[in-house]
Amino acid sequence: MEIAVVLRLGRPFAAVADEVADRVRAVLGDDTLAVDVTVADVGAAGGVEGPAAP
């Protein structure tokens, strides 16, 4: 499974990617699922948030 995310500066990207993958596995109920997380973009910490994703 592939997931793309937009992150804010402030935390290590690898740690956030691991967290996202763990949460996807938990939601799907499959702790063996391979989850590839791509950081698609980065915003400044404390920046204005845009609209929520559909």
Side-chain angles (χ1 to χ4, degrees):
M1 171 172 283
E2 295 180 21
I3 302 289
V5 296
V6 176
L7 301 180
R8 283 190 252 171
L9 296 174
R11 294 189 53 212
F13 293 172
V16 175
D18 288 344
E19 232 178 80
V20 168
D22 289 344
R23 289 182 186 203
V24 167
R25 288 185 198 100
V27 167
L28 297 178
D30 183 355
D31 62 351
T32 64
L33 182 66
V35 179
D36 295 319
V37 179
T38 299
V39 177
D41 200 0
V42 179
V48 176
E49 296 198 20

